[in-house]
Amino acid sequence: MEAVVEIRDLHKSFKENTVLRGVDLTIGRGEITVIMGLSGSGKSVLLKHLLGLLAPDSGTIVFEGVDFLRARRGQRRELLRRMAMCFQHAALFDSMSARENVAFPMRERGGFTESEIVARVDETLGLVGLGNLGDQFPAELSGGMRKRIGLARAIVLDPDIVLFDEPTTGLDPVLSDVIVRSIRSTREKNPYTCVIVTHDLKVTYDLADHVALLLNGRIAFDGTAEAFRTSKDPAVVQFIQGRSTDGPIQVK
């Protein structure tokens, strides 16, 4: 596996609350890495470090051999341009149509003609199965449709890495499956590297090449989806079965 991102010994605290306690994780190029964990386990905090929104107390994030946290501003900007984020609740602009939302990253980056923007946006909306709804506004769309518009906006510039924060939260099983199929179909054209934060086991089993289980601030499991599903590790079994305890799940 060729590593595109390597996270080593990452620590993060917010005053007295220690969230990350030495996270080690390798993200393989072209793979779908699913990061699972209990609510409040630090999954979203880890994503924010990958996006450069948070700085760790200690540790490193290396992106294709470049120390992301210590890179020069211009170098860091170029690395970030190769990433995209698909937000939990889509985070669409209410005053813009679906087509305008998807076009927004292209207009912000600049360098595209209007005809190039129109063609690329229409193509991307088609990839997520919403080519006929480009003129609709977010309030006129269902939750699943808004999430697919958010996915289209994330991939419109062909990023190398797409980060997903709970892509199926709030959706019924049928709409969750639509999101899973949308992720698959968009990767057929551009096999971008995926990092998905979720506690949806079906999404994990349907999509993941690689699973990392974040518990008590550390990676408790790191392996394939099949190894995760069949693991006998008590922490993994307890998480999969959804059993509560009087204290934190014990990690080896």
Side-chain angles (χ1 to χ4, degrees):
M1 176 188 69
E2 180 186 0
V4 63
V5 178
E6 294 178 272
I7 301 167
R8 294 291 175 262
D9 198 26
L10 208 68
H11 291 255
K12 184 64 178 179
S13 296
F14 299 94
K15 295 185 178 180
E16 302 303 317
N17 181 26
T18 301
V19 180
L20 304 180
R21 303 170 183 268
V23 171
D24 290 295
L25 181 63
T26 298
I27 297 168
R29 184 183 305 282
E31 289 191 340
I32 298 178
T33 295
V34 172
I35 301 172
M36 305 199 78
L38 302 172
S39 296
S41 63
K43 304 185 300 298
S44 295
V45 169
L46 185 56
L47 271 192
K48 289 177 181 178
H49 280 83
L50 292 176
L51 287 166
L53 298 176
L54 287 175
D57 299 330
S58 61
T60 60
I61 299 175
V62 176
F63 183 3
E64 294 188 336
V66 177
D67 188 332
F68 181 66
L69 301 170
R70 294 166 180 81
R72 296 186 306 275
R73 181 177 297 181
Q75 194 176 28
R76 191 178 170 100
R77 185 183 303 115
E78 285 304 309
L79 292 175
L80 287 171
R81 282 165 68 100
R82 295 167 58 189
M83 299 185 195
M85 178 72 186
C86 201
F87 297 93
Q88 180 173 339
H89 298 294
L92 301 179
F93 297 107
D94 292 337
S95 60
M96 293 183 180
S97 68
R99 182 174 287 107
E100 291 168 336
N101 268 282
V102 177
F104 182 79
M106 298 185 72
R107 298 192 190 282
E108 281 291 293
R109 181 166 298 185
F112 300 96
T113 65
E114 190 60 28
S115 60
E116 287 173 332
I117 292 174
V118 169
R120 177 61 182 154
V121 168
D122 286 347
E123 177 189 18
T124 308
L125 284 171
L127 285 175
V128 298
L130 296 174
N132 62 332
L133 294 178
D135 294 327
Q136 301 295 305
F137 285 81
E140 301 172 307
L141 301 172
S142 69
M145 289 175 179
R146 288 194 293 272
K147 284 180 182 281
R148 282 188 282 163
I149 296 298
L151 171 58
R153 184 178 62 186
I155 66 169
V156 72
L157 288 172
D158 283 337
D160 294 329
I161 301 176
V162 181
L163 310 177
F164 293 83
D165 188 8
E166 301 285 3
T168 59
T169 290
L171 301 181
D172 62 49
V174 173
L175 287 178
S176 293
D177 189 60
V178 170
I179 298 300
V180 166
R181 288 189 283 112
S182 294
I183 293 172
R184 281 204 195 108
S185 65
T186 56
R187 293 183 78 251
E188 289 174 4
K189 179 180 182 296
N190 173 30
Y192 52 84
T193 300
C194 269
V195 180
I196 302 175
V197 159
T198 187
H199 29 45
D200 187 327
L201 287 169
K202 187 175 187 306
V203 168
T204 301
Y205 297 148
D206 285 349
L207 285 175
D209 298 307
H210 173 206
V211 179
L213 180 61
L214 182 62
L215 293 175
N216 305 331
R218 298 183 179 90
I219 299 298
F221 173 90
D222 188 348
T224 66
E226 179 61 19
F228 178 75
R229 188 183 66 81
T230 59
S231 175
K232 303 303 182 186
D233 185 298
V236 176
V237 172
Q238 186 179 334
F239 180 85
I240 290 174
Q241 293 181 353
R243 290 187 285 108
S244 63
T245 64
D246 293 332
I249 292 178
Q250 296 302 310
V251 180
K252 291 181 178 178

